[in-house]
Structures are given as C-alpha cells and as structure tokens.
C-alpha cells in the first residue's frame, strides 16, 4: 500500500506536466472518472493500479497518466488484483518501433487477459459518447481531436451526474429532471451538504404533517416525502456534477436517508394515534424489517467483496438475465429500493390510512427480503469461493458482539466449520424470539432464553467467519435483538412502551449503520470500548428481558427503562460517530454504481 509521502510524490510529478497534457484532470468529459484518480493521488489506501484504472483518457492526456503511474511504481508500489479489477486500464507506455518511430502501446489487453485467466471479473465500462483513443499517427490524432470536439460537454456532465445503476422509479421519474435541479444548484453556489440538509428538513416537515392525523396533512406529507426524495437524488448528482465530494457529505447522505424514513414512520404512527388507531407496533416492525434487509445486503457484499474463485451457476444465470433488458428492471423493482419504497409510502399516505400503508410496506419488504435472501443463499451454496481474512474481520465487526459473547468465544475455541456459525446464530435467535413470544411480558423465561442466546452467539463468533453462509450471522443477530424488543414492548400494554422501543431500536440501528459505513470506508468498526460500553447485541438483549421481568408490575417502569437505555445508547454512539466522521479525516464513501438502497 502506498504511503502519504508516495502519494505526494505522484502529485508533485503531475504538477510538472504541461497543462495541455493534464486535460484529463480538468476536462468535464471525464467528470465521472476524475474523482477516482484524485483519490488515487491523495488517499494512501489506494494502490498504484488505481491510478492506471481510474480514468479513460484521450490522446493528449496519456503522457500525464503514464508519468503518474511511473512515479507511483518508482516507490515500489504493488497492487492486489482486486483493486486493478475495478476498471479497465488505458494507461500507455511509449515504445520504439524497428523503424525508429514512437508508438503507443496499451497495456489494457495484457492486464485484462491476466485477470481473466485468474478468474477475476474485469469491469469494462461503456464509454458511451466519450472518446478514448491512442492515435498512432498525425491523421489518427486529428480524427481523435475532431471526435473529442464533437462531444457536447454539458450533456456529458449532466449524464455523468446520474448514477450508472439505479431503481426504475429513480431512473425514469426523478433523474430526468433532478439533474437539472443539480445544475441549477451548482450555478448558484449551493453545496451537496446544503441540499442533503434541505432533504432532511423536508422529510421532517412531511413527518410532522403526517403526525397531524388529518387528510390534508396526509396528502401534504406524501407530496413532501416525494420532494424530499427528489432532493436526496439531487445532492448526489450535484456532487458528481461539480466534483464536490467530502467526508462529511458522505456521512450525512448515508445517515440522513435512514433518519428521514424512520422519522416518517414515527410521524405516521403519531397521526394514526390522533385518529384513535395504534400502529406503533407496525411502525416498529417496518423499521426492524427494513434494517435487517440492509444488514443482509451489507453482510453478503462484505463476505464476497474480495473472495477468490467467486463463481456460481446462480450468478451466471443472473448475468444471462441481464442481457434481457426488461428482466433487469423487474428484478430491481422486486427488491423495493428506496425510490419505489418512498413512492409507494407517499401514495398510500395520501390516499389511504397509516395502518394500510404499514401493512402494504411490511408485505412488500417481506417479499423483497425473501427474494434477495433466497438468491444470496443459493449463490453462497453453489459458489466455490475462499473468503479472506478481511471479509471474516468485517463480518465479525458487523456482528457487534459484546462482553458476554466474547467471554464464551474465548472459553470455547473451535476450528472453522462450514455451517456451525449460522446454525448457532439461528438457534439462538429462534430461542430468544420464540421464548419471549410464548412466555409473554413479565416472565423470567425470556431472560433465560436471552442468556442461552448470548452463549450461542459466542459460539457463532468463536472462529473466523469464512463459511459459505457465515454472512447470515449479523442479520440473524439484528433480527434477534430488534425482534425481542418489539415483542416485549407489544406485550407490555404500558403507555409509551412501543414508542420507547421505537426510539431504542432507532438508536441501536444507527450504531449498526455507522459500523457498516465505517467498514465500507476501509476504516474498520467503531472502537471496541464503545461496543463493550453499550453491551453488544447479546448484552442489550439480556438487559431488556431482565428489565421486563423486574419492572412488569411497576407503573411505566419498563417504558422508563427503555427510554433511559435509548437515551444512553444514542448519546454514546452519536458522540463517537460525529467525532469520527467530522474530525478524524476518514475517507468519503461514494456509491458511484448506484446500488439501490
């Protein structure tokens, strides 16, 4: 890996290149790729191969890129094949032909062939209207210049501002005009962070409108929710259009989406309560299901991020279906990404009741969860892949194990087993959920089940999580913890128990999302001292079940306990999260591919 000094050397080398040869760094035709090159030059985590593969360049830029690559290689940098596979290299080296003339040789074919031979999928981006050529003579150079000049810069900038892959609703109903809103914001000096904040405020106003419990309030809430989503798309498009990336912006964008959606759930529940209908259990269930869905996505992706020999018949079938255009959109809509989900919630809010809205949302999310999870299980069972230590570490961090599980893991060391980890996690989750549901509120049976769950959770993480289905361990833990809180609050029949449980799950879910985005940024999970201080998933489960048993006969005692626990956890994780993302210089995380959330 390159050091910060090495990156500075590469940057200094580029500074010596004439301006006309550095056109790739400033030309708006390459706006979709320049950020990757800038990261390669400034972020010490990026290997030298990222420089090669960061940019598709035209003839005038080849010398600048070659010099950058050469400077990086002089530092002794080598790159893992996984990094090089992220994009197709068009770096060139000057060679001399037998007749003494200079020729340009592209290394892309050699690199791609070597990666293909190793079973690594090489990403070959479509240039679209962009021009990338390495002319061999003056005539070809003139033709390349003419082709470059014929490209409409502004059109390319607007197109590049939109994610390459997104949901159906976002692609066809939002992006066709939100890109122009992004350009309008850029021309007036607005920043992506300001647009992100405006999106959050709009969603909070929508939640407040829904909380009125009136039909005009519900209609206004639906309209404002769509407007918030338009702004949510605009902030990312503005960042790509104007190249205004930042660590703070990445953090705000990642966390505000969840905050907006869950605040809206709370607004709907409050509005229903004003009309005499208690739907807090449905609101909490929707939040639990949605969070568990996301953890399935994150855990699966992390487990297979850099797996070797990563092939399966199921994945091959999916690849063949991609060639049939309509199936791509159907499969994207089935998973109910954020665009489709928010549009559905907005329409149902405006024309139906909160209860119907939550029923439809729960059914849709449940079907989507079954579809995606089943497909990933099939891929994992049919895939012959070797998980890396990095993947195992990421899954262990996503597990969020506390002191009880750590003690069990140390006391019962074991060798890696293909299915022991997910089986232990599944048995523990089933025991605590079934025991809590069967025993009801106020019993000590859930406490015993929670202790058994903690023991099985420790067994699950005692060895590195490298099995084919070990990525199921984190979502099983999330389902067990959140589900136990939901069941106990629903059974409590105390005023405010369900809203307090909603707040507790929201605080814990924020901690888990924060963990995900830190791992995706390559900085690792939150400090172990924080995880231990808030108990870990199994520790919190034991505490909540014990509180229910001890305080069941006290007026509002359980509600107060849940509220206090939520406040303590929220304060701890927010302080650490804000400190980390704002002041630690953590790298920004950008979803350029457009994986729907």
């Amino acid at each position: 890996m390159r050091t910060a000094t090495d990156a500075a050397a590469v940057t200094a080398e580029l500074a010596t290149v004439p301006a006309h040869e550095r056109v790739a760094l400033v030309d708006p035709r390459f706006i979709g790729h320049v950020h990757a090159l800038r990261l390669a030059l400034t972020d010490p985590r990026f290997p030298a191969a990222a420089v090669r593969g960061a940019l598709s360049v035209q003839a005038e830029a080849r010398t600048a890129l070659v010099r950058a690559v050469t400077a990086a290689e002089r530092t002794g940098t080598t790159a893992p094949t996984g990094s090089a596979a992220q994009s197709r290299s068009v770096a060139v080296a000057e060679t001399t032909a037998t007749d003494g003339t200079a020729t340009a040789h592209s290394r892309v074919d050699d690199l791609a062939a070597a990666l293909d031979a190793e079973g690594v999928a090489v990403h070959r981006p479509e240039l679209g209207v962009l021009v990338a050529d390495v002319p061999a003579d003056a005539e070809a150079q003139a033709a390349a210049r003419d082709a470059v000049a014929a490209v409409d810069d502004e059109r390319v900038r607007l197109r590049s501002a939109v994610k390459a892959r997104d949901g159906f609703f976002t692609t066809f109903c939002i992006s066709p005009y939100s890109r122009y809103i992004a350009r309008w914001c850029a021309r007036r000096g607005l920043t992506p962070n300001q647009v992100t904040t405006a999106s959050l405020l709009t969603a909070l106003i929508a939640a407040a409108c829904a909380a009125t419990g009136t039909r005009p309030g519900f209609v206004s809430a639906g309209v404002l929710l769509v407007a918030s989503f338009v702004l949510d798309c605009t902030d990312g498009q503005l960042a790509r259009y104007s190249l205004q990336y930042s660590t703070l912006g990445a953090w705000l964008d990642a966390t505000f989406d969840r905050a907006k959606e869950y605040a809206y759930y709370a607004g709907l529940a409050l509005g229903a309560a004003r009309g005499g209908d208690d739907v807090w259990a449905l609101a909490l269930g929707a939040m639990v299901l949605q969070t568990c869905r996301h953890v399935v996505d994150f855990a699966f992706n992390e487990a297979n991020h850099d797996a070797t020999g990563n092939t399966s018949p199921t994945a091959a079938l999916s690849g063949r279906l991609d060639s049939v255009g309509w199936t791509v959109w159907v499969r994207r809509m089935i998973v109910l990404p954020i665009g489709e989900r928010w549009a559905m919630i907005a329409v149902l809010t405006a024309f139906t009741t909160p209860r119907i809205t939550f029923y439809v949302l729960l059914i849709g999310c449940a079907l989507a969860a079954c579809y995606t999870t089943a497909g990933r299980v099939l891929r994992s069972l049919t895939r012959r892949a070797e998980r890396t230590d990095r993947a195992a570490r990421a899954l262990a961090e996503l597990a969020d194990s506390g002191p009880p599980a750590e003690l069990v893991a140390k006391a019962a060391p074991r060798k890696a087993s293909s299915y022991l980890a997910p089986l232990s996690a599944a048995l523990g989750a089933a025991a605590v959920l079934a025991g809590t549901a069967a025993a009801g509120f106020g019993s000590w049976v859930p406490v015993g089940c929670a202790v058994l769950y903690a023991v099985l959770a420790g067994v699950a993480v005692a060895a590195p999580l490298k099995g084919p289905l070990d990525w199921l361990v984190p979502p099983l833990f999330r389902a067990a913890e959140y589900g136990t809180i939901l069941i106990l609050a629903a059974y409590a029949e105390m005023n405010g128990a369900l809203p307090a449980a909603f707040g507790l799950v929201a605080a814990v879910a924020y901690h888990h999302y924060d963990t995900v985005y830190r791992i995706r940024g390559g900085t690792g999970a939150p400090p172990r001292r924080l995880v231990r201080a808030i108990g870990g998933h199994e520790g919190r489960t034991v505490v909540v079940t014990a509180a229910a048993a001890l305080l069941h006969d006290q007026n509002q005692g359980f509600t107060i306990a849940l509220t206090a626990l939520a406040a303590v956890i929220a304060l701890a994780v927010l302080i650490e999260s804000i400190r980390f993302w704002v002041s630690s210089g953590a790298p920004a995380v950008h979803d350029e591919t457009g994986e729907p959330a």
Side-chain angles (χ1 to χ4, degrees):
M1 303 299 285
R2 183 147 26 101
T3 66
T5 303
D6 299 330
V10 176
T11 306
E13 178 74 14
L14 275 181
T16 65
V17 180
H20 73 280
E21 293 183 347
R22 286 187 280 117
V23 65
L25 300 181
V26 297
D27 195 317
R29 278 183 291 273
F30 305 105
I31 192 169
H33 304 282
V34 171
H35 176 63
L37 181 57
R38 286 182 175 176
L39 282 178
L41 297 178
T42 60
D43 191 332
R45 297 181 305 104
F46 274 70
V51 181
R52 293 195 187 94
L55 195 57
S56 296
V57 299
Q58 61 191 64
E60 295 94 330
R62 68 182 185 273
T63 303
L65 193 56
V66 169
R67 291 186 182 182
V69 173
T70 303
E73 288 180 333
R74 279 203 299 266
T75 66
T77 304
T78 58
T81 56
S83 299
Q86 297 304 309
S87 57
R88 185 179 185 180
S89 170
V90 293
V92 297
E94 296 296 330
T95 60
T96 304
T98 53
D99 59 359
T101 60
T103 62
H105 170 66
S106 173
R107 289 178 280 184
V108 61
D109 294 328
D110 295 339
L111 179 61
L115 292 174
D116 285 332
E118 295 177 7
V120 178
V122 178
H123 176 53
R124 296 177 171 85
E126 296 292 335
L127 289 177
V129 298
L130 295 179
V131 177
D133 196 8
V134 183
D137 52 41
E139 183 179 354
Q141 186 178 35
R145 288 180 180 274
D146 292 340
V148 169
V151 176
D152 186 338
D153 290 352
E154 184 60 20
R155 179 186 173 193
V156 173
R157 290 187 70 185
L158 284 172
R159 176 183 293 183
S160 301
V162 178
K163 287 181 178 179
R165 183 181 185 275
D166 222 325
F168 181 89
F169 179 77
T170 304
T171 300
F172 294 103
C173 300
I174 303 297
S175 293
Y177 59 87
S178 62
R179 68 185 74 182
Y180 296 103
I181 300 177
R183 182 175 65 180
W184 182 90
C185 293
R187 291 177 176 176
R188 282 153 183 81
L190 297 177
T191 66
N193 291 350
Q194 292 171 334
V195 178
T196 301
T197 303
S199 175
L200 174 66
L201 293 176
T202 304
L204 293 179
I205 295 173
C209 290
T212 63
T214 63
R215 181 53 51 192
F218 287 147
V219 172
S220 300
V223 173
L224 288 171
L225 187 64
V226 173
S228 174
F229 182 67
V230 172
L231 292 174
D232 183 54
C233 295
T234 301
D235 63 1
Q237 292 166 358
L238 174 59
R240 285 181 286 273
Y241 182 88
S242 57
L243 290 181
Q244 297 183 73
Y245 298 102
S246 70
T247 299
L248 178 61
W251 175 66
L252 292 177
D253 188 56
T255 56
F256 279 10
D257 280 351
R258 304 287 81 79
K260 288 180 288 189
E261 187 167 2
Y262 299 156
Y264 192 81
Y265 293 171
L268 279 178
L270 289 171
R274 287 180 177 273
D277 190 11
D278 186 356
V279 296
W280 274 106
L282 297 178
L284 180 52
M287 181 167 64
V288 169
L289 181 56
Q290 191 58 34
T291 304
C292 290
R293 278 189 61 201
H294 282 147
V295 176
V296 168
D297 296 339
F298 296 140
F300 179 81
N301 291 336
E302 287 301 326
N304 296 281
H305 181 268
D306 50 4
T308 58
N310 206 356
T311 59
S312 77
T314 308
L317 175 61
S318 178
R320 288 194 295 271
L321 287 176
D322 286 342
S323 62
V324 184
W326 65 271
T327 67
V328 175
W329 293 115
V330 169
R331 286 183 290 138
R332 290 187 189 179
M333 293 174 68
I334 288 175
V335 302
L336 207 63
I338 188 170
E340 278 76 357
R341 193 167 66 250
W342 281 27
M344 180 183 71
I345 294 172
V347 171
L348 291 173
T349 299
F351 295 104
T352 66
T353 65
R355 180 171 290 275
I356 294 176
T357 300
F358 281 123
Y359 277 148
V360 175
L361 178 63
L362 284 167
I363 293 172
C365 287
L367 292 175
C370 291
Y371 170 78
T372 55
T373 305
R376 285 166 178 171
V377 168
L378 286 174
R379 289 191 184 199
S380 300
L381 292 175
T382 58
R383 170 179 286 158
R384 297 294 180 266
E386 294 182 8
R387 270 70 178 188
T388 64
D389 292 337
R390 175 198 172 279
R393 183 170 59 254
L395 290 180
E397 292 170 341
L398 286 174
D400 191 38
S401 299
E406 287 181 336
L407 290 174
V408 173
K410 291 179 180 179
R414 63 175 177 84
K415 295 182 179 179
S417 176
S418 296
Y419 301 104
L420 180 58
L423 180 60
S424 298
L427 289 175
V432 70
L433 291 174
T436 303
F441 184 74
S443 170
W444 284 93
V445 172
V447 180
C449 294
V451 173
L452 174 61
Y453 166 65
V455 173
L456 291 172
V459 173
V461 297
L465 298 175
K466 293 186 177 182
L469 295 180
D470 283 2
W471 56 269
L472 285 170
V473 170
L476 286 169
F477 288 164
R478 299 296 85 79
E481 179 184 1
Y482 300 163
T484 300
I485 297 172
L486 169 59
I487 294 170
L488 289 173
Y491 281 179
E493 296 183 354
M494 290 183 181
N495 290 333
L498 279 167
F502 189 96
L504 175 58
V505 172
V508 177
Y510 177 86
H511 164 62
H512 290 145
Y513 279 112
D514 185 50
T515 301
V516 164
Y517 285 105
R518 291 198 197 199
I519 293 173
R520 288 178 62 178
T523 58
R528 287 300 304 168
R529 65 178 183 276
L530 174 66
V531 177
R532 294 189 180 102
I534 61 176
H537 66 94
E538 77 288 356
R540 290 188 297 269
T541 304
V542 172
V543 168
V544 171
T545 55
L550 290 169
L551 305 174
H552 71 282
D553 58 349
Q554 297 186 20
N555 185 29
Q556 302 301 309
F558 185 60
T559 299
I560 295 172
L562 290 180
T563 303
L565 186 59
V568 170
I569 292 176
L571 185 63
V573 299
L574 279 174
I575 290 175
E576 165 57 26
S577 179
I578 293 173
R579 181 207 64 78
F580 174 81
W581 288 105
V582 175
S583 63
S584 69
V589 180
H590 306 289
D591 182 11
E592 297 294 343
T593 62
E595 189 72 27

